[in-house]
């Protein structure tokens, strides 16, 4: 869990004044987080996708634990320039296709719209035959103005690119979610210093049936 | 620990070059024997307990750990290669070749490849994974601790490979016991001393259920004597030791263990040496040469270059223990003149254990069982090929052991699934199915052309960069086919599902981090560098007791043997000094 969101682990032993101060600071950091790779529109697409993969239930969603900011920082620091350009292109195409196919902006998309996108480009996706790919690439070259500015990257057709985007975001979403403090310490079973090792413990002894977080 | 300062003497009874797993033992034994001892370490100082990443969780702040990035007041983590930016990847270019070493939390215990470059001959590759700090690689070692079998010392002679070992199992046996007792080795007594001699053990760690299944199947499915035991590992499981607590099963060993749960020079031997009042440790000390008196044929001291100031200084001593690690110890001898190399074997016969291949499978059932704790250990199947009788095979000589383990998968299994949404999320929060995997570790034969030389290129200290000329040869390549086939067959016979083999075809000598053999022991100064007491033939007060002394490589993890050799050699040196012989 990103520290600035993870207040759940603060115990009641902490004086209320301190807690209040901590809340203020945490809120300030959330507000002041400056995206360094994603535009506001691209961040909205990331949030929509990540919260489809891990939605909010009685436990937090992906974006609740800072997955969008995680991805932004990750792309900023660890992606090669061409990989970063590709992801941003893919996010843009995701928004374009959402609009084309469902007539909505990302911010106004309903769960139904997003399920349709996830099913089409991810869960039910099958790689197209070579000929179809060529045709769609040809089409993109005419229609897509961002292509000329990213001429170093050899983009494939939109369907393939969006599938790559969703497949790629999947692991970064899981990674940031399950390595967040909130999920690791409050949802899963957190055991930093196990003490004696037990090789064959009955699963019934695992609190709530939740896995170990570390 | 007592560190060198400007008031420290230049003259000692003993100098130990290197503070790693064997150097630490040399320091302890010599200091406890009453010798004023200078321990030289080329890297930075790491005091036991000074392990800043030891307790960090994935979400914790730590600016010193490559791959952890800051967001506002919080932190995020990223894993694997992608967590390292390009500069960090370059800094640990070789150190990270294993795929698991020099991670974001352990990189501080690996050397900086940019600062410490070396060369590979055209077409050759050598993976030189190093730990430049007090304690050396004892901070990051695999901790698996096995005795050699008696037969391992005899095979060179029987098969006419290289030269005969000048020692036998019985020569090391009491020292194995002494080391095991002191460092604490968790393990199970098996009563199969011809294959894998038992030692002095603390309580064994548990098996997981699928491991037990495999263990039982090996008994019923094979008649060649193969068997499994739980990994014999240098973790405290029974009784504590001075300054060390029991292993807490955190599996964060390579970050340095604040509990001292596993053995390292830092947690154990160096503090013991320090307690005698006889040790002075000098970090940042790069040894340039060992100085030898031509008339007496004895070493008189060492020339050291300060890592930071690059100032040269000389220290003298009656006895020198060279424990700089295989390649570095040979390099120091090479830089010191020709006197150690009458045999022309210095720097040759580099061996390792070739590995990173084996099998993995899914295990059905046992969903009612989970592990508690993160066991930093697995199971071990000792060498079962070419041990005589029905175990002998054609195609290759010597053999290999297998190290493996079974555990339940976690959320990472979701990375490959085409699912999303509520039920996917809930599923990922529960333990996944059981998986099992094993890796083979094979013997590499000594070959004179697997060698290192000193090149004409200099490093920033004006010392020659080493050049390595190493490659796998026919026997190892043949053996690898059997390693794959047998790994998979055992899993099939155990009834595991979706059995598949894997192999890192890029394995290169050194990647096993068991490099050894550059100054082999032998009877004859014309064919070996060291005598049966680990002394340089041409300088009887220089003892070399790290991996360079090895005449063959065996199949088990080698550190326990280096430690036992060191204790034996130190006892010999103390006796020689007591008698006035050196």
């Amino acid at each position: 869990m990103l520290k600035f969101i993870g207040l759940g682990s603060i115990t009641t032993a902490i004086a209320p004044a301190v807690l209040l101060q901590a809340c203020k600071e945490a809120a300030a950091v959330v507000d002041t987080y400056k995206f360094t790779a994603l535009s506001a529109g691209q961040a909205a697409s990331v949030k929509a996708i990540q919260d489809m993969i891990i939605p909010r239930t009685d436990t937090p969603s992906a974006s609740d634990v800072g997955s969008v900011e995680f991805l932004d920082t990750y792309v900023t620091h660890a992606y090669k320039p061409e990989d970063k350009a590709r992801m941003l292109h893919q996010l843009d195409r995701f928004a374009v296709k959402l609009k084309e196919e469902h007539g909505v902006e990302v911010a106004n998309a309903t769960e139904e719209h997003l399920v349709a996108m996830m099913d089409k480009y991810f869960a039910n996706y099958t790689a197209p035959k070579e000929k179809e790919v060529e045709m769609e690439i040809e089409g993109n070259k005419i229609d897509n103005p961002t292509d000329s500015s990213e001429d170093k990257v050899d983009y494939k057709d939109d369907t393939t690119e969006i599938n790559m985007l969703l497949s790629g975001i999947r692991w970064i979403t899981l990674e940031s979610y399950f390595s967040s403090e909130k999920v690791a310490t409050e949802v899963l079973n957190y055991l930093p210093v196990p003490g004696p090792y037990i090789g064959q413990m009955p699963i019934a002894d695992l609190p709530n049936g939740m896995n170990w977080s570390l | 620990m007592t560190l060198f300062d400007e008031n420290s003497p230049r003259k000692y009874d003993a100098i130990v070059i290197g503070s790693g797993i064997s150097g630490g033992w040399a320091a302890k034994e010599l200091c406890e024997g009453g010798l004023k001892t200078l321990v030289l370490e080329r890297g930075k100082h790491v005091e036991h307990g000074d392990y800043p990443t030891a307790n960090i969780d994935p979400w914790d702040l730590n600016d010193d750990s490559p791959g952890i990035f800051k967001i506002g007041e919080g932190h995020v983590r990223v894993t694997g290669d992608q967590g390292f930016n390009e500069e960090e990847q370059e800094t640990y270019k070789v150190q990270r070749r294993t795929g698991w070493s020099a991670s974001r939390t352990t990189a501080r215990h690996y050397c900086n490849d940019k600062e410490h470059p070396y060369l590979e001959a055209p077409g050759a590759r050598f993976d030189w994974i190093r730990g430049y700090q007090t304690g050396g690689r004892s901070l990051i070692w695999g901790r698996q601790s096995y005795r050699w079998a008696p037969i391992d010392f005899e095979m060179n002679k029987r098969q006419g490979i290289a030269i005969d070992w000048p020692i036998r199992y019985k020569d090391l046996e009491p020292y194995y016991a002494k080391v095991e007792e002191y460092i604490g080795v968790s393990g199970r007594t098996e009563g199969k001393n011809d294959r894998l001699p038992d030692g002095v053990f603390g309580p064994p760690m548990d098996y997981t259920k699928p491991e037990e299944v495999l263990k039982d199947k090996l008994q019923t499915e094979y008649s060649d004597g193969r068997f499994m035991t739980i990994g014999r590992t240098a973790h405290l499981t029974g009784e504590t030791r001075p300054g060390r607590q029991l292993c807490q099963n955190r599996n964060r060993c390579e970050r340095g263990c604040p509990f001292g749960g596993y053995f390292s020079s830092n947690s154990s031997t160096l503090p013991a040496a320090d307690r005698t009042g006889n040790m002075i440790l000098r970090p940042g000390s790069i040894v340039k040469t060992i100085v030898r008196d031509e008339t007496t044929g004895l070493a008189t001291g060492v020339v050291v270059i300060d890592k930071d100031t690059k100032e040269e200084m000389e220290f003298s001593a009656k006895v020198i223990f060279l424990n700089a690690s295989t390649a570095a110890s040979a390099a120091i001898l090479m830089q010191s003149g020709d006197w150690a190399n009458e045999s022309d074997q210095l720097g040759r016969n580099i061996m390792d254990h070739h590995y990173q291949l084996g099998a993995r499978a899914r295990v059905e059932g046992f969903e009612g069982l989970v592990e508690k704790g993160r066991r930093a250990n697995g199971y071990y199947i000792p060498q079962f090929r070419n041990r005589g009788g029905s175990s002998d095979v054609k195609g290759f000589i010597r053999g290999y052991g297998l190290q493996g383990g079974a555990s339940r998968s976690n959320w990472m299994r979701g990375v490959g699934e085409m699912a999303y949404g509520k039920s996917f999320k809930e599923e990922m929060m529960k333990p996944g199915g059981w998986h099992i995997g094993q890796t083979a570790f094979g013997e590499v034969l000594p070959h004179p052309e697997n060698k290192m030389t000193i090149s004409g290129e200099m490093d920033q200290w004006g010392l020659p960069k080493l050049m390595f000329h190493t490659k796998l040869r026919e026997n190892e390549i043949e053996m690898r086919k059997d390693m794959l086939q047998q790994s998979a067959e055992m899993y099939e016979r155990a009834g595991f599902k979706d059995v598949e083999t894997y192999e890192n075809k890029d394995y290169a000598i050194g990647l096993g981090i068991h490099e050894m053999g550059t100054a082999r022991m032998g009877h004859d100064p014309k064919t070996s560098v060291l005598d049966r007491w680990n002394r340089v033939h041409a300088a009887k007060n220089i003892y070399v007791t790290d991996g360079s002394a090895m005449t063959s490589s065996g199949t088990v993890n080698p550190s326990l043997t280096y430690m036992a050799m060191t204790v034996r050699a130190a006892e010999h040196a103390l006796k020689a000094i007591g008698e006035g012989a050196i």
Side-chain angles (χ1 to χ4, degrees):
Chain A
M1 167 73 195
L2 303 177
K3 286 259 165 135
F4 53 87
I5 302 172
L7 295 171
S9 62
I10 295 176
T11 66
T12 48
I14 297 171
V18 177
L19 230 168
L20 185 64
Q21 183 60 31
C23 286
K24 277 182 186 165
E25 283 171 9
V29 175
V30 173
D31 291 344
T32 57
Y33 180 82
K34 295 276 188 292
F35 282 91
T36 47
L38 304 176
S39 68
Q42 289 159 345
S45 291
V46 170
K47 180 177 185 300
I49 296 164
Q50 292 193 327
D51 285 349
M52 286 308 290
I53 297 170
I54 302 185
R56 188 180 300 151
T57 55
D58 54 350
T59 55
S61 70
S63 69
D64 286 341
V65 298
S67 290
V68 184
E69 291 84 356
F70 181 104
L71 184 139
D72 182 70
T73 304
Y74 182 80
V75 169
T76 300
H77 289 273
Y79 265 38
K80 291 178 186 161
E82 60 267 32
D83 294 337
K84 178 180 164 185
R86 179 164 223 142
M87 176 170 268
L88 300 183
H89 164 82
Q90 291 168 340
L91 286 165
D92 289 342
R93 298 312 298 166
F94 178 84
V96 167
K97 286 289 167 188
L98 181 68
K99 177 90 187 202
E100 276 177 18
E101 293 171 20
H102 303 284
V104 291
E105 305 291 339
V106 175
N108 301 324
T110 64
E111 189 177 339
E112 195 183 338
H113 299 137
L114 294 170
V115 165
M117 291 294 283
M118 292 299 289
D119 283 346
K120 177 177 176 184
Y121 292 100
F122 179 63
N124 300 334
Y125 171 82
T126 47
K129 289 174 190 154
E130 236 171 73
K131 207 171 179 182
E132 291 167 353
V133 173
E134 283 168 18
M135 284 172 64
E136 200 166 338
I137 288 170
E138 282 304 306
N140 274 347
K141 277 182 181 164
I142 300 159
D143 298 340
N144 186 351
T146 61
D147 267 7
S148 58
S149 61
E150 311 290 354
D151 54 3
K152 279 187 188 164
V153 185
D154 179 23
Y155 293 125
K156 300 184 189 316
D157 62 282
D158 280 348
T159 308
T160 305
E161 289 291 339
I162 295 171
N163 175 258
M164 285 163 68
L165 169 74
L166 300 179
S167 302
I169 283 187
R170 178 179 44 180
W171 82 258
I172 207 170
T173 306
L174 289 166
E175 174 86 39
S176 57
Y177 188 76
F178 284 102
S179 63
S180 69
E181 186 173 15
K182 180 97 180 164
V183 174
T185 63
E186 295 176 37
V187 179
L188 301 184
N189 285 300
Y190 175 62
L191 196 61
V193 183
Y197 171 76
I198 301 171
Q200 300 178 27
M201 185 181 89
I203 199 165
D205 295 346
L206 200 55
N208 302 321
M210 290 288 187
N211 207 356
W212 305 111
S213 60
L214 294 177
Chain B
M1 274 180 249
T2 312
L3 300 184
F4 185 92
D5 62 31
E6 68 267 29
N7 300 317
S8 300
R10 296 295 177 111
K11 194 170 176 205
Y12 296 86
D13 296 323
I15 293 173
V16 177
I17 303 171
S19 64
I21 210 152
S22 64
W25 265 100
K28 171 184 172 310
E29 295 299 294
L30 298 174
C31 287
E32 289 180 350
L35 302 191
K36 294 290 180 188
T37 302
L38 175 67
V39 179
L40 298 169
E41 164 54 49
R42 71 171 289 157
K44 63 184 179 288
H45 182 55
V46 175
E47 190 79 21
H48 176 55
D50 180 18
Y51 309 130
T53 63
N55 293 310
I56 69 161
D57 282 318
W59 53 88
D60 281 333
L61 179 150
N62 194 303
D63 287 332
D64 291 333
S65 304
I68 297 184
F69 303 126
K70 205 168 183 178
I71 295 182
E73 295 303 306
H75 267 70
V76 294
R77 83 157 182 178
V78 284
T79 55
D81 268 337
Q82 300 186 59
F84 283 67
N85 63 33
E86 280 183 41
E87 190 194 331
E88 289 162 344
Q89 288 189 37
E90 196 61 28
T91 301
Y92 299 106
K93 191 176 172 181
V94 176
Q95 306 309 303
R96 307 186 73 241
R97 281 185 185 169
T98 63
W100 49 264
S101 49
S103 73
R104 65 197 185 286
T105 49
T106 65
R108 61 174 33 248
H109 293 155
Y110 289 82
C111 100
N112 180 322
D113 287 315
K114 285 199 290 197
E115 284 181 20
H116 306 283
Y118 65 93
L119 307 172
E120 289 157 320
R125 191 178 122 185
F126 181 74
D127 293 340
W128 195 11
I129 317 262
R130 295 162 284 173
Y132 285 170
Q133 65 263 329
T134 303
R137 289 181 294 188
S138 77
L139 278 177
I140 49 178
W141 70 307
R143 310 168 305 282
Q144 294 287 301
S145 300
Y146 304 97
R147 296 185 180 196
W148 271 38
I151 195 176
D152 290 324
F153 292 92
E154 297 163 15
M155 292 308 285
N156 272 9
K157 187 177 185 186
R158 287 194 202 181
Q159 295 173 328
I161 299 290
I163 58 168
D164 187 19
W165 276 87
I167 56 170
R168 290 290 182 263
Y169 177 73
K170 63 175 171 35
D171 293 309
L172 281 188
E173 190 174 18
Y175 304 99
Y176 274 135
K178 181 175 176 179
V179 169
E180 288 158 346
E181 168 64 31
Y182 191 79
I183 71 175
V185 176
S186 159
R188 189 179 294 275
T189 299
E190 299 286 355
K192 295 179 177 175
N193 290 336
D194 56 330
R195 293 280 177 101
L196 187 74
D198 290 327
V200 180
F201 297 137
M205 294 184 182
D206 283 357
Y207 287 116
T208 60
K209 192 66 187 172
E211 294 164 356
E212 267 184 0
V213 169
L214 179 62
K215 178 182 168 63
D216 293 344
K217 285 288 184 182
L218 292 182
Q219 300 297 315
T220 55
E221 290 286 325
Y222 291 95
S223 56
D224 57 7
R226 75 181 70 184
F227 69 99
M228 178 197 286
T229 190
I230 191 70
R232 295 173 175 176
T233 187
H235 289 241
L236 294 181
T237 52
E239 292 169 14
T240 58
R241 300 287 189 281
R244 298 179 55 204
Q245 300 172 49
L246 298 187
C247 172
Q248 300 297 309
N249 295 292
R250 301 174 344 125
N251 197 16
R252 288 174 166 175
C253 314
E254 290 188 28
R255 304 176 182 191
C257 183
F259 297 91
Y262 74 91
F263 170 81
S264 65
S265 298
N266 311 58
S267 68
S268 181
T269 44
L270 292 175
D274 198 41
R275 282 194 292 272
T276 66
N278 288 329
M279 182 185 80
I280 291 177
L281 172 69
R282 192 178 194 288
S285 302
I286 301 175
V287 173
K288 181 183 180 186
T289 53
I290 296 176
V291 183
R292 175 177 173 269
D293 183 329
E294 288 281 332
T295 28
T296 60
L298 294 174
T300 57
V302 301
V303 177
V304 167
I305 302 171
D306 185 277
K307 177 177 173 286
D308 300 317
T309 67
K310 298 191 167 66
E311 177 197 353
E312 270 192 28
M313 58 199 81
E314 191 165 338
F315 299 101
S316 64
K318 294 177 207 163
V319 62
I320 292 168
F321 268 68
L322 184 49
N323 300 87
S325 87
T326 300
S329 289
I332 288 167
L333 290 174
M334 287 175 171
Q335 287 159 200
S336 303
D338 294 333
W339 44 266
N341 197 21
E342 186 195 343
S343 63
D344 188 34
Q345 293 301 316
L346 185 63
R348 295 187 183 274
N349 310 301
I350 298 177
M351 298 167 279
D352 186 26
H353 292 129
H354 62 105
Y355 80 136
Q356 290 202 336
L357 76 173
R360 53 191 164 220
R362 200 167 53 75
V363 183
E364 284 183 352
F366 319 118
E367 285 92 357
L369 295 170
V370 293
E371 295 172 88
K372 183 181 185 189
R374 296 174 293 282
R375 183 190 64 182
N377 191 18
Y379 65 76
Y380 189 54
I381 299 170
Q383 183 182 341
F384 54 90
R385 291 301 207 195
N386 298 322
R387 286 307 206 191
S390 67
S391 76
D392 288 348
V393 292
K394 292 191 168 64
F396 61 91
I397 61 171
R398 312 292 171 97
Y400 54 90
L402 290 158
Q403 302 187 12
S407 58
R408 297 190 71 160
S409 58
N410 63 10
W411 56 266
M412 289 182 202
R413 70 189 185 277
V415 171
E417 288 186 21
M418 299 304 286
Y420 67 93
K422 184 170 178 284
S423 58
F424 171 71
K425 173 189 174 182
E426 281 167 4
E427 178 64 24
M428 290 305 109
M429 289 176 168
K430 306 233 167 12
W434 286 96
H435 291 261
I436 192 163
Q438 58 188 3
T439 294
F441 287 74
E443 179 156 1
V444 172
L445 293 177
H447 192 291
E449 292 309 312
N450 279 345
K451 65 180 181 182
M452 49 169 271
T453 52
I454 51 180
S455 75
E457 275 185 44
M458 298 294 160
D459 67 14
Q460 59 172 300
W461 297 278
L463 296 175
K465 291 180 190 171
L466 303 185
M467 178 177 275
F468 293 89
H469 315 246
T470 46
K471 63 176 187 181
L472 278 192
R473 314 244 167 202
E474 194 181 346
N475 194 64
E476 292 93 45
I477 292 166
E478 280 302 308
M479 189 191 296
R480 286 175 85 80
K481 296 174 191 166
D482 193 61
M483 292 159 131
L484 285 172
Q485 190 273 329
Q486 285 295 301
S487 295
E489 184 190 278
M490 284 183 242
Y491 280 181
E492 295 282 1
R493 291 197 189 182
F496 301 150
K497 308 295 178 191
D498 303 333
V499 177
E500 57 180 33
T501 57
Y502 69 91
E503 177 175 13
N504 173 11
K505 300 251 185 200
D506 284 335
Y507 165 82
I509 288 182
L511 198 64
I513 327 182
H514 293 170
E515 75 276 11
M516 60 177 102
T518 51
R520 70 187 182 194
M521 296 168 78
H523 292 290
D524 185 350
K526 291 193 169 50
T527 58
S528 60
V529 181
L530 307 178
D531 71 6
R532 65 185 312 266
W533 298 105
N534 293 75
R535 296 178 299 182
V536 176
H537 284 301
K540 297 291 192 190
N541 62 342
I542 305 175
Y543 292 80
V544 187
T545 65
D546 58 21
S548 46
M550 302 295 276
T551 309
S552 62
S553 68
T555 58
V556 299
N557 305 57
S559 294
L560 187 73
T561 299
Y562 304 165
M563 290 190 267
M565 284 198 308
T566 303
V567 176
R568 176 175 176 268
E571 186 180 283
H572 187 271
L574 286 165
K575 190 157 170 271
I577 285 182
E579 291 168 353
I582 52 175

